[in-house]
PDB file of all heavy atoms in Angstrom:
ATOM      1  N   HIS A 133       6.522  24.924  19.428  1.00 71.00           N
ATOM      2  CA  HIS A 133       6.315  26.330  19.737  1.00 71.00           C
ATOM      3  C   HIS A 133       7.607  27.106  19.376  1.00 71.00           C
ATOM      4  O   HIS A 133       8.598  26.904  20.021  1.00 71.00           O
ATOM      5  CB  HIS A 133       5.947  26.492  21.230  1.00 71.00           C
ATOM      6  CG  HIS A 133       5.661  27.911  21.546  1.00 71.00           C
ATOM      7  ND1 HIS A 133       4.347  28.391  21.935  1.00 71.00           N
ATOM      8  CD2 HIS A 133       6.404  29.050  21.647  1.00 71.00           C
ATOM      9  CE1 HIS A 133       4.391  29.629  22.175  1.00 71.00           C
ATOM     10  NE2 HIS A 133       5.654  30.108  22.004  1.00 71.00           N
ATOM     11  N   GLN A 134       7.501  27.884  18.255  1.00 80.00           N
ATOM     12  CA  GLN A 134       8.582  28.796  17.901  1.00 80.00           C
ATOM     13  C   GLN A 134       8.115  30.226  18.080  1.00 80.00           C
ATOM     14  O   GLN A 134       6.996  30.435  18.110  1.00 80.00           O
ATOM     15  CB  GLN A 134       9.101  28.496  16.521  1.00 80.00           C
ATOM     16  CG  GLN A 134       9.697  27.129  16.231  1.00 80.00           C
ATOM     17  CD  GLN A 134      10.158  26.941  14.774  1.00 80.00           C
ATOM     18  OE1 GLN A 134       9.567  27.574  13.891  1.00 80.00           O
ATOM     19  NE2 GLN A 134      11.050  26.084  14.532  1.00 80.00           N
ATOM     20  N   GLU A 135       9.100  31.126  17.948  1.00 92.00           N
ATOM     21  CA  GLU A 135       8.720  32.562  17.935  1.00 92.00           C
ATOM     22  C   GLU A 135       8.187  32.865  16.547  1.00 92.00           C
ATOM     23  O   GLU A 135       8.569  32.291  15.616  1.00 92.00           O
ATOM     24  CB  GLU A 135       9.963  33.382  18.269  1.00 92.00           C
ATOM     25  CG  GLU A 135      10.448  33.248  19.686  1.00 92.00           C
ATOM     26  CD  GLU A 135       9.485  33.543  20.695  1.00 92.00           C
ATOM     27  OE1 GLU A 135       8.780  34.638  20.601  1.00 92.00           O
ATOM     28  OE2 GLU A 135       9.248  32.699  21.680  1.00 92.00           O
ATOM     29  N   ASN A 136       7.276  33.814  16.540  1.00 95.00           N
ATOM     30  CA  ASN A 136       6.769  34.327  15.313  1.00 95.00           C
ATOM     31  C   ASN A 136       7.849  35.040  14.488  1.00 95.00           C
ATOM     32  O   ASN A 136       8.840  35.499  15.103  1.00 95.00           O
ATOM     33  CB  ASN A 136       5.550  35.234  15.481  1.00 95.00           C
ATOM     34  CG  ASN A 136       4.413  34.564  16.043  1.00 95.00           C
ATOM     35  OD1 ASN A 136       4.228  33.383  15.913  1.00 95.00           O
ATOM     36  ND2 ASN A 136       3.519  35.318  16.698  1.00 95.00           N
ATOM     37  N   MET A 137       7.739  35.151  13.176  1.00 97.00           N
ATOM     38  CA  MET A 137       8.675  35.766  12.374  1.00 97.00           C
ATOM     39  C   MET A 137       8.842  37.263  12.754  1.00 97.00           C
ATOM     40  O   MET A 137       7.878  37.954  12.970  1.00 97.00           O
ATOM     41  CB  MET A 137       8.300  35.616  10.881  1.00 97.00           C
ATOM     42  CG  MET A 137       9.345  36.307   9.956  1.00 97.00           C
ATOM     43  SD  MET A 137       8.980  36.058   8.194  1.00 97.00           S
ATOM     44  CE  MET A 137       9.478  34.302   7.948  1.00 97.00           C
ATOM     45  N   LEU A 138      10.112  37.654  12.863  1.00 97.00           N
ATOM     46  CA  LEU A 138      10.401  39.076  13.184  1.00 97.00           C
ATOM     47  C   LEU A 138      10.021  39.956  11.953  1.00 97.00           C
ATOM     48  O   LEU A 138      10.304  39.474  10.785  1.00 97.00           O
ATOM     49  CB  LEU A 138      11.909  39.240  13.513  1.00 97.00           C
ATOM     50  CG  LEU A 138      12.356  38.520  14.763  1.00 97.00           C
ATOM     51  CD1 LEU A 138      13.850  38.664  14.869  1.00 97.00           C
ATOM     52  CD2 LEU A 138      11.654  38.976  16.080  1.00 97.00           C
ATOM     53  N   ILE A 139       9.555  41.078  12.139  1.00 97.00           N
ATOM     54  CA  ILE A 139       9.203  41.965  11.022  1.00 97.00           C
ATOM     55  C   ILE A 139      10.445  42.375  10.225  1.00 97.00           C
ATOM     56  O   ILE A 139      10.349  42.506   8.984  1.00 97.00           O
ATOM     57  CB  ILE A 139       8.399  43.211  11.469  1.00 97.00           C
ATOM     58  CG1 ILE A 139       7.758  43.886  10.251  1.00 97.00           C
ATOM     59  CG2 ILE A 139       9.184  44.160  12.298  1.00 97.00           C
ATOM     60  CD1 ILE A 139       6.616  44.855  10.565  1.00 97.00           C
ATOM     61  N   CYS A 140      11.584  42.472  10.890  1.00 97.00           N
ATOM     62  CA  CYS A 140      12.791  42.842  10.143  1.00 97.00           C
ATOM     63  C   CYS A 140      13.175  41.770   9.168  1.00 97.00           C
ATOM     64  O   CYS A 140      13.611  41.929   8.022  1.00 97.00           O
ATOM     65  CB  CYS A 140      13.964  43.216  11.106  1.00 97.00           C
ATOM     66  SG  CYS A 140      14.363  41.821  12.184  1.00 97.00           S
ATOM     67  N   ASP A 141      12.884  40.493   9.554  1.00 98.00           N
ATOM     68  CA  ASP A 141      13.189  39.336   8.680  1.00 98.00           C
ATOM     69  C   ASP A 141      12.182  39.347   7.519  1.00 98.00           C
ATOM     70  O   ASP A 141      12.520  39.096   6.371  1.00 98.00           O
ATOM     71  CB  ASP A 141      13.119  38.002   9.465  1.00 98.00           C
ATOM     72  CG  ASP A 141      14.325  37.805  10.351  1.00 98.00           C
ATOM     73  OD1 ASP A 141      15.322  38.424  10.142  1.00 98.00           O
ATOM     74  OD2 ASP A 141      14.231  37.015  11.321  1.00 98.00           O
ATOM     75  N   TYR A 142      10.922  39.611   7.887  1.00 98.00           N
ATOM     76  CA  TYR A 142       9.923  39.681   6.796  1.00 98.00           C
ATOM     77  C   TYR A 142      10.234  40.699   5.762  1.00 98.00           C
ATOM     78  O   TYR A 142      10.141  40.482   4.602  1.00 98.00           O
ATOM     79  CB  TYR A 142       8.525  39.907   7.398  1.00 98.00           C
ATOM     80  CG  TYR A 142       7.446  39.871   6.376  1.00 98.00           C
ATOM     81  CD1 TYR A 142       6.914  38.677   5.895  1.00 98.00           C
ATOM     82  CD2 TYR A 142       6.953  41.111   5.710  1.00 98.00           C
ATOM     83  CE1 TYR A 142       5.952  38.653   4.928  1.00 98.00           C
ATOM     84  CE2 TYR A 142       5.970  40.990   4.744  1.00 98.00           C
ATOM     85  CZ  TYR A 142       5.518  39.765   4.396  1.00 98.00           C
ATOM     86  OH  TYR A 142       4.523  39.755   3.399  1.00 98.00           O
ATOM     87  N   LYS A 143      10.656  41.851   6.291  1.00 98.00           N
ATOM     88  CA  LYS A 143      10.976  43.009   5.254  1.00 98.00           C
ATOM     89  C   LYS A 143      12.118  42.629   4.423  1.00 98.00           C
ATOM     90  O   LYS A 143      12.229  43.016   3.290  1.00 98.00           O
ATOM     91  CB  LYS A 143      11.268  44.276   6.113  1.00 98.00           C
ATOM     92  CG  LYS A 143      10.018  44.974   6.739  1.00 98.00           C
ATOM     93  CD  LYS A 143      10.458  46.182   7.445  1.00 98.00           C
ATOM     94  CE  LYS A 143       9.135  46.869   7.997  1.00 98.00           C
ATOM     95  NZ  LYS A 143       9.467  48.182   8.693  1.00 98.00           N
ATOM     96  N   LYS A 144      13.115  41.881   4.981  1.00 98.00           N
ATOM     97  CA  LYS A 144      14.273  41.366   4.266  1.00 98.00           C
ATOM     98  C   LYS A 144      13.766  40.523   3.079  1.00 98.00           C
ATOM     99  O   LYS A 144      14.321  40.690   1.922  1.00 98.00           O
ATOM    100  CB  LYS A 144      15.178  40.609   5.054  1.00 98.00           C
ATOM    101  CG  LYS A 144      16.447  40.067   4.406  1.00 98.00           C
ATOM    102  CD  LYS A 144      17.329  39.296   5.371  1.00 98.00           C
ATOM    103  CE  LYS A 144      18.625  38.725   4.736  1.00 98.00           C
ATOM    104  NZ  LYS A 144      18.350  37.598   3.911  1.00 98.00           N
ATOM    105  N   ILE A 145      12.762  39.703   3.308  1.00 98.00           N
ATOM    106  CA  ILE A 145      12.218  38.843   2.269  1.00 98.00           C
ATOM    107  C   ILE A 145      11.624  39.603   1.127  1.00 98.00           C
ATOM    108  O   ILE A 145      11.820  39.445  -0.004  1.00 98.00           O
ATOM    109  CB  ILE A 145      11.214  37.845   2.829  1.00 98.00           C
ATOM    110  CG1 ILE A 145      11.855  36.852   3.842  1.00 98.00           C
ATOM    111  CG2 ILE A 145      10.495  37.073   1.753  1.00 98.00           C
ATOM    112  CD1 ILE A 145      10.871  36.022   4.610  1.00 98.00           C
ATOM    113  N   ILE A 146      10.834  40.619   1.518  1.00 98.00           N
ATOM    114  CA  ILE A 146      10.099  41.439   0.519  1.00 98.00           C
ATOM    115  C   ILE A 146      11.083  42.344  -0.235  1.00 98.00           C
ATOM    116  O   ILE A 146      10.891  42.574  -1.394  1.00 98.00           O
ATOM    117  CB  ILE A 146       9.014  42.243   1.263  1.00 98.00           C
ATOM    118  CG1 ILE A 146       7.917  41.362   1.934  1.00 98.00           C
ATOM    119  CG2 ILE A 146       8.430  43.219   0.315  1.00 98.00           C
ATOM    120  CD1 ILE A 146       7.213  40.518   0.988  1.00 98.00           C
ATOM    121  N   ASP A 147      12.107  42.896   0.535  1.00 98.00           N
ATOM    122  CA  ASP A 147      13.042  43.777  -0.165  1.00 98.00           C
ATOM    123  C   ASP A 147      13.805  42.948  -1.239  1.00 98.00           C
ATOM    124  O   ASP A 147      13.972  43.476  -2.326  1.00 98.00           O
ATOM    125  CB  ASP A 147      14.025  44.297   0.862  1.00 98.00           C
ATOM    126  CG  ASP A 147      13.396  45.354   1.788  1.00 98.00           C
ATOM    127  OD1 ASP A 147      12.297  45.810   1.434  1.00 98.00           O
ATOM    128  OD2 ASP A 147      14.062  45.631   2.859  1.00 98.00           O
ATOM    129  N   GLU A 148      14.177  41.754  -0.953  1.00 97.00           N
ATOM    130  CA  GLU A 148      14.886  40.902  -1.902  1.00 97.00           C
ATOM    131  C   GLU A 148      14.008  40.518  -3.082  1.00 97.00           C
ATOM    132  O   GLU A 148      14.523  40.274  -4.208  1.00 97.00           O
ATOM    133  CB  GLU A 148      15.447  39.645  -1.242  1.00 97.00           C
ATOM    134  CG  GLU A 148      16.574  39.806  -0.323  1.00 97.00           C
ATOM    135  CD  GLU A 148      17.162  38.504   0.093  1.00 97.00           C
ATOM    136  OE1 GLU A 148      17.070  37.487  -0.648  1.00 97.00           O
ATOM    137  OE2 GLU A 148      17.587  38.484   1.254  1.00 97.00           O
ATOM    138  N   SER A 149      12.702  40.528  -2.869  1.00 97.00           N
ATOM    139  CA  SER A 149      11.771  39.957  -3.907  1.00 97.00           C
ATOM    140  C   SER A 149      11.090  41.031  -4.764  1.00 97.00           C
ATOM    141  O   SER A 149      10.439  40.644  -5.732  1.00 97.00           O
ATOM    142  CB  SER A 149      10.737  39.143  -3.232  1.00 97.00           C
ATOM    143  OG  SER A 149      11.285  38.032  -2.460  1.00 97.00           O
TER     144      SER A 149
END
Side-chain angles (χ1 to χ4, degrees):
H133 185 110
Q134 293 180 335
E135 294 303 312
N136 293 337
M137 182 176 283
L138 299 174
I139 192 166
C140 59
D141 287 339
Y142 184 83
K143 288 181 175 181
K144 178 177 182 289
I145 294 169
I146 298 300
D147 290 344
E148 285 187 35
S149 300

